[in-house]
Amino acid sequence: MSEDTKVHAELRESFGKGFARRLRAAGKIPAVIYGHGTEPVHVALPGHQVSLIIRRANALLELDIEGKAQLALVKDVQKDPVHQIIEHIDLLVVKKGEKVAIDVPIVVTGESAAGTIVNLDATTLSIEAEATHIPQNIEVSVEGLEEGAHITAADVALPKGSTLLSEPEVLVVAISVPAAPSEDDAEAEGEAAEATEAAEEAAAE
């Protein structure tokens, strides 16, 4: 655990939208911690610090709750759909050495053969990994792959200690060649260009 994931959490006993609004106005984020058969614990987290931490997928927090240390995995982040303000966070209690199921983002590396395009069919893979060794992403190399090549979940090299939970046959990446534009497409593009040119000339007059 790094220093930037150590977070001081304040216990809260007041609830409701009004109280949550006041918390956010004070720069804090309402959150609930649950799991391992424990009663849910409601806390307030420092807004700026936690906002930075949860930019990483599957962020793990080392909470200090009134002097008691608790590891917690970020399971869900609710945001205002318009302003993208974090409204609430769900945290799952985890223990060192415990394995957890998570969805990890896929990052494509390398360049496929000239003239081909890379189609990313699956943006994440479900894996099981140790709670304190969760990978931020899984790299999939397409270096030199030709048209028709494809990579399934079973082909992906997982981080050490991880186990695949996604179906092995899930398509992750496919390599293809862009389809040549048809005569109808070319004609439509030409007409659109002529219409644009005519409109520009009319506006200039």
Side-chain angles (χ1 to χ4, degrees):
M1 301 291 294
S2 60
E3 287 297 322
D4 69 338
T5 59
K6 293 183 178 179
V7 176
H8 178 71
E10 300 173 14
L11 285 174
R12 60 187 177 95
E13 296 179 357
S14 298
F15 309 97
K17 291 183 178 179
F19 180 75
R21 259 196 311 271
R22 290 194 293 276
L23 267 185
R24 290 192 291 272
K28 298 176 183 179
I29 301 172
V32 62
I33 310 166
Y34 59 89
H36 280 284
T38 61
E39 290 292 322
V41 177
H42 299 270
V43 296
L45 306 175
H48 179 67
Q49 180 190 8
V50 172
S51 296
L52 294 177
I53 294 172
I54 64 174
R55 289 179 180 177
R56 301 191 295 269
N58 302 304
L60 189 67
L61 307 182
E62 187 173 8
L63 301 174
D64 177 348
I65 309 172
E66 295 190 341
K68 180 183 177 182
Q70 175 64 67
L71 287 178
L73 180 69
V74 176
K75 289 299 289 182
D76 189 45
V77 178
Q78 291 109 51
K79 291 184 178 182
D80 179 280
V82 177
H83 302 100
Q84 291 299 299
I85 296 170
I86 299 174
E87 296 186 329
H88 191 272
I89 294 177
D90 289 357
L91 299 169
L92 178 66
V93 171
V94 294
K95 300 182 184 300
K96 288 184 179 179
E98 175 186 6
K99 289 200 169 185
V100 292
I102 65 274
D103 293 332
V104 180
I106 292 172
V107 174
V108 174
T109 63
E111 296 286 340
S112 58
T116 63
I117 57 174
V118 178
N119 303 294
L120 183 61
D121 278 65
T123 56
T124 64
L125 279 182
S126 296
I127 67 170
E128 186 178 64
E130 281 192 27
T132 51
H133 293 87
I134 295 174
Q136 290 188 33
N137 54 60
I138 297 173
E139 292 188 355
V140 176
S141 174
V142 297
E143 187 63 38
L145 294 184
E146 303 280 350
E147 177 189 5
H150 63 274
I151 298 173
T152 65
D155 300 323
V156 176
L158 299 179
K160 185 177 179 181
S162 301
T163 305
L164 181 68
L165 296 180
S166 295
E167 293 296 327
E169 63 272 16
V170 166
L171 181 63
V172 178
V173 171
I175 308 299
S176 62
V177 172
S182 66
E183 291 183 7
D184 290 342
D185 290 338
E187 185 177 335
E189 287 180 8
E191 291 175 355
E194 289 175 7
T196 301
E197 186 177 341
E200 290 175 349
E201 289 176 356
E205 290 176 357

